[in-house]
Amino acid sequence: MGWLAVSPLDEGQDGPLLRADAPQLLTSGSLVLEGLYRPGSGGARLFTVKHKRPWSGGLEIRLLPGARVSLRLTQEQRVWEAEVALPDADREELLRLSYLWHAPARMGRLWVERPDRDMPAFCVDLAGPPPLPTLALAEEVAGLRGHALGGRTDWAALSDRVEPVGPMPLLTGIVPVEMADGQLRQLDRLKLGDLVRTAQGGVAPVLGLFSHTVPARGRFRPLVLRRPYLGLQRDLVVGAGQRLESAGAAVDYLFGCESVLVEARHMLHGAAALPAPTQAVMRYWQVLLPAREALESAGIGLESLAIGRMRMRKGLWSASLLAGVPRGRLPDHGSVAKRVLDRHEAVTLAAQRVA
């Protein structure tokens, strides 16, 4: 089935219950949310659900003092608890939390990702977690009960599958990609071994093509990048967390370097981007290249799938979209070497490049 419920975009607006034929109990599934961490601000509730059928119990996810994330799961008299400590939590940042469970396999796992940083995800296991009541979770996520999400939680979503974690695609399938011979091809029509043009003028082979459907919220929310900002030759739809590579005289003048990276979401604060039409979920695509490079597309560079040193982390690899690729064949992307602009810098650059 996939995603069952997604929290509403606007407070008080009912979120969609995507599947009415879901089972009474979820023996496996995923609860995913994005929330804001603020250092030194103490604890905060991120998500809570309580239920009385088919048994009494509940689930709560909280931020704790000391840069910790906790999950507490109850069923009648039984309690399951998990806690993840965040290293180097010295600034405000977004956290993406995923509670994944598969009761028949006695697997439960809390993942904590930090999309604003080039840092690996952290996880902790829960042994033998129980199934969860579908309706109670779906209604809380969709905003039909009105109190599941805490004040620092941006959105939540519920799936009846164990969803992948780690690097995610953020490009729509119709994004045009410049090939080595100068021809244009839709992203979703690329094949392994195809040679694509990179934003730096080089050529790189496609090592993998990945696609996944995600909630259209937060860093996954689709945005329309508008031409001619940042040198775009046509409008493009990408996820809010997609990084764009920009180069040229304006970049050199403003920042003293050859090229920089800009997150698409920062373009919303100027005239360079608009929110795409509202929807519950979005299917995105992305390619894996040997190096952490950007695809040449419609006059701008679109960062390809950045996987860091996933080949060194078996747990993350096996839980990710890349689990089907042997670890030995994965490239080592390391950390980002280019400067990543903040919101004010991104808006200034976009205005300068269209002037």
Side-chain angles (χ1 to χ4, degrees):
M1 291 185 184
W3 298 102
L4 301 175
V6 180
S7 59
L9 277 173
D10 301 313
E11 186 175 356
Q13 172 190 346
D14 285 350
L17 287 173
L18 302 180
R19 298 296 298 245
D21 56 347
Q24 182 182 12
L25 289 176
L26 291 177
T27 57
S28 64
S30 303
L31 176 67
V32 184
L33 62 88
E34 287 185 353
L36 187 65
Y37 166 76
R38 293 192 180 108
S41 61
R45 179 181 66 88
L46 296 178
F47 182 89
T48 305
V49 60
K50 296 181 180 179
H51 54 84
K52 295 182 179 180
R53 298 185 182 88
W55 50 72
S56 63
L59 182 154
E60 184 175 56
I61 300 176
R62 297 186 65 88
L63 289 173
L64 301 178
R68 294 171 295 148
V69 178
S70 75
L71 181 145
R72 190 172 192 271
L73 186 62
T74 60
Q75 182 191 86
E76 300 294 350
Q77 303 302 315
R78 295 195 62 186
V79 178
W80 293 260
E81 293 182 305
E83 186 176 298
V84 176
L86 304 175
D88 303 317
D90 54 359
R91 59 183 171 91
E92 185 174 289
E93 62 178 306
L94 180 82
L95 302 178
R96 182 177 301 137
L97 312 178
S98 301
Y99 171 54
L100 317 176
W101 72 95
H102 195 295
R106 298 185 59 79
M107 186 281 290
R109 187 165 292 156
L110 173 65
W111 283 94
V112 180
E113 300 177 76
R114 306 166 86 172
D116 293 342
R117 299 200 192 196
D118 285 301
M119 297 183 69
F122 301 92
C123 73
V124 62
D125 290 340
L126 288 83
L132 294 176
T134 306
L135 184 60
L137 274 173
E139 287 185 343
E140 292 285 18
V141 166
L144 300 183
R145 298 189 183 187
H147 53 75
L149 304 189
R152 294 195 208 165
T153 307
D154 184 23
W155 61 270
L158 176 68
S159 172
D160 65 353
R161 298 184 296 203
V162 177
E163 296 288 337
V165 297
M168 286 289 172
L170 286 170
L171 299 176
T172 49
I174 62 172
V175 162
V177 176
E178 185 174 338
M179 309 302 291
D181 61 5
Q183 298 294 313
L184 295 180
R185 188 179 302 173
Q186 280 190 192
L187 177 62
D188 60 5
R189 295 180 181 175
L190 294 177
K191 297 181 176 61
L192 292 181
D194 280 347
L195 296 178
V196 297
R197 183 74 60 182
T198 67
Q200 295 299 318
V203 171
V206 173
L207 301 183
L209 178 65
F210 302 93
S211 177
H212 193 60
T213 298
V214 294
R217 301 289 186 267
R219 297 294 193 269
F220 298 133
R221 187 176 181 182
L223 306 178
V224 180
L225 299 178
R226 303 172 61 205
R227 66 181 179 96
Y229 295 95
L230 292 177
L232 270 173
Q233 298 163 358
R234 54 168 284 184
D235 291 354
L236 295 179
V237 178
V238 304
Q242 173 66 40
R243 285 175 170 176
L244 323 170
E245 183 172 326
S246 186
V251 172
D252 184 47
Y253 172 74
L254 290 171
F255 308 110
C257 52
E258 182 179 343
S259 62
V260 294
L261 294 174
V262 180
E263 282 197 46
R265 63 191 176 96
H266 290 324
M267 298 294 96
L268 282 171
H269 301 279
L274 296 171
T278 301
Q279 52 192 312
V281 297
M282 187 77 179
R283 188 180 186 188
Y284 289 115
W285 298 75
Q286 189 51 282
V287 298
L288 180 67
L289 301 180
R292 190 168 179 171
E293 296 183 276
L295 301 165
E296 182 66 28
S297 176
I300 197 171
L302 299 173
E303 188 178 47
S304 58
L305 194 66
I307 65 170
R309 294 192 167 126
M310 185 181 287
R311 62 184 299 166
M312 308 291 290
R313 303 192 71 225
K314 184 178 180 180
L316 180 57
W317 162 76
S318 64
S320 75
L321 277 177
L322 290 86
V325 180
R327 274 198 302 151
R329 297 182 185 177
L330 293 178
D332 187 345
H333 283 172
S335 59
V336 62
K338 299 181 185 298
R339 178 173 176 176
V340 181
L341 302 187
D342 61 26
R343 183 181 70 180
H344 174 73
E345 292 172 329
V347 172
T348 300
L349 176 61
Q352 182 76 16
R353 288 212 53 184
V354 80

